[in-house]
Amino acid sequence: MLDLLAAAGQRPVFEHGARLVSGAGMLDLVRRLAAGLRAAGIGPGDGVAMMLGVNPEAFAANIAGHVVGARVVGVRPGLPEAQTRHVLTQDITAVVTDKDITGPTVLSLNELVTASANEPELLARPDNVARLIYTSGSTGIPKACAQTYAAMSSAWTARPDAWPPAIRELASRLSRYLVFGSLSSQVMMEYGVLTLAAGGTMVVADPPAFPDAIVRLRASASVITVPRLNKLVAAQRESPVDLSSLRALMVSGSPLPAARLREALDVLGPIVFHGYGQTETGTISMATPFDVPGSVGFPPDVIDVQVRDGNGEPSPPGVDGELYVRTLRRRPGTGRSRPRPRRCSSTAGYARGTSATSTQTAGCT
């Protein structure tokens, strides 16, 4: 990530209103925030909760947390009080925030960024947990999914030479990628890093109203949920606006019925990508606008997928079953325990494999 920012130089990588931050400027923010964290006693293995908005300093703070080798925990805005309390009591050393919050473990982002920028010393240890990504908590207490620094380093997001074909197609469309809601979102952050690796700019959508933000900010790409996509399609049918800048909508969070996808492609054009994955596994596969509706594309070679029957045995092509995924990237955990690599995880959704190894889903994503 630091190499990406250094290579960007004076090219804008983050746009927030009238403010443009270059790669060199973002790297300076990362260096200052890393120095501030070290001065506050934060180092390898320490849990750091990020309660931040969507701005250049918030993005830099997440990167700085990894520079000092901390275990970074993003706290989603709007989380109920009980769930927030649960997250913040899971071996958290400090809370970094740009909110008006005080406490013995609270570090002000505005104060941290005043530190002198030094050449960052990477303190991360491969086996340490790099970040905890929490599930939504829709069924109770959010569950943490742990990812080590070794696993994070193996990810293809920041390495164009390792991009699967669908990601390479998507990356070519990320010249102006909208960010909103929270940078602690795994989806928002990963596509943000992909944008920078592709030579694009992260653009803050404030407010994130569609289609207004797309038109106003000349956005080329954004993530979008299925309900929001349906609303955008309906609005474009009823009162069309100029969406000529838009080249990619990455749909995730729930299944996209084939009929809905066909309608979206008909109204919006060939711009809809359908990502399939979960918090525990990250992206499993992605369908491009040119894939058959109903498919979620082809998993890259580094991810093993298998459709199994009710007895846990492999299902033959064309037969429904439950999808199992094996990945190096993460597993559910508390953060202090070392994640086991190559863990097999059920997606809790149903799927059908084809002889060409693409996947059709009939359950949750």
Side-chain angles (χ1 to χ4, degrees):
M1 191 64 220
L2 300 182
D3 290 342
L4 283 180
L5 295 176
Q10 296 306 311
R11 176 178 64 80
V13 298
F14 205 104
E15 179 180 318
H16 187 196
R19 183 183 176 193
L20 288 176
V21 179
S22 67
M26 185 64 74
L27 187 57
D28 180 69
L29 284 176
V30 172
R31 288 170 172 169
R32 284 192 274 145
L33 286 164
L37 288 171
R38 282 196 294 268
I42 303 301
D46 289 329
V48 178
M50 300 289 182
M51 299 182 68
L52 302 168
V54 183
N55 52 62
E57 285 76 13
F59 180 80
N62 278 277
I63 305 303
H66 295 308
V67 169
V68 302
R71 176 171 24 90
V72 177
V73 181
V75 182
R76 179 169 56 86
L79 206 60
E81 183 180 348
Q83 295 185 353
T84 300
R85 187 166 54 249
H86 167 76
V87 172
L88 296 181
T89 55
Q90 301 303 300
D91 200 12
I92 296 297
T93 303
V95 177
V96 176
T97 184
D98 50 13
K99 310 295 189 296
D100 187 17
I101 302 173
T102 59
T105 63
V106 174
L107 299 176
S108 167
L109 183 67
N110 293 333
E111 293 179 7
L112 291 174
V113 80
T114 61
S116 299
N118 300 316
E119 189 65 29
E121 178 186 0
L122 299 180
L123 302 176
R125 299 164 184 165
D127 289 343
N128 280 3
V129 173
R131 60 178 176 177
L132 293 182
I133 303 169
Y134 278 86
T135 58
S136 65
S138 58
T139 59
I141 295 297
K143 300 172 183 63
C145 303
Q147 185 179 41
T148 64
Y149 278 97
M152 181 180 285
S153 299
S154 72
W156 44 256
T157 315
R159 297 184 292 119
D161 60 334
W163 287 343
I167 297 301
R168 188 171 297 281
E169 175 65 31
L170 173 62
S172 70
R173 306 174 182 221
L174 297 179
S175 59
R176 292 180 60 81
Y177 164 63
L178 291 185
V179 290
F180 51 88
S182 172
L183 291 175
S184 67
S185 160
Q186 176 193 346
V187 173
M188 197 66 67
M189 193 69 168
E190 288 214 348
Y191 286 132
V193 173
L194 182 64
T195 295
L196 300 191
T201 303
M202 299 170 67
V203 181
V204 177
D206 186 16
F210 285 5
D212 297 346
I214 298 170
V215 175
R216 175 169 46 88
L217 298 169
R218 308 182 318 282
S220 70
S222 176
V223 297
I224 194 167
T225 61
V226 172
R228 205 171 195 181
L229 175 67
N230 294 339
K231 289 181 180 179
L232 178 62
V233 169
Q236 193 67 0
R237 277 194 183 280
E238 184 176 340
S239 302
V241 295
D242 182 9
L243 297 179
S244 58
S245 68
L246 190 61
R247 300 187 60 211
L249 287 173
M250 292 81 78
V251 183
S252 63
S254 58
L256 178 59
R260 287 290 192 181
L261 175 55
R262 291 190 186 94
E263 181 184 16
L265 293 171
D266 180 60
V267 174
L268 303 176
I271 65 169
V272 182
F273 292 73
H274 188 197
Y276 178 73
Q278 61 177 181
T279 306
E280 291 85 351
T281 62
T283 300
I284 297 171
S285 64
M286 176 172 285
T288 73
F290 312 110
D291 285 315
V292 176
S295 166
V296 288
F298 295 82
D301 293 340
V302 294
I303 296 178
D304 296 332
V305 297
Q306 190 176 75
V307 180
R308 298 181 181 178
D309 60 23
N311 297 318
E313 297 298 324
S315 298
V319 176
D320 289 348
E322 191 169 6
L323 187 64
Y324 282 74
V325 178
R326 195 190 307 273
T327 173
L328 282 168
R329 297 197 62 188
R330 61 181 64 85
R331 74 168 182 86
T334 60
R336 281 296 185 185
S337 58
R338 178 180 175 181
R340 295 178 305 233
R342 307 297 290 173
R343 181 181 185 273
C344 194
S345 173
S346 168
T347 65
Y350 288 95
R352 177 180 301 148
T354 71
S355 58
T357 71
S358 69
T359 304
Q360 294 181 319
T361 61
C364 64
T365 58

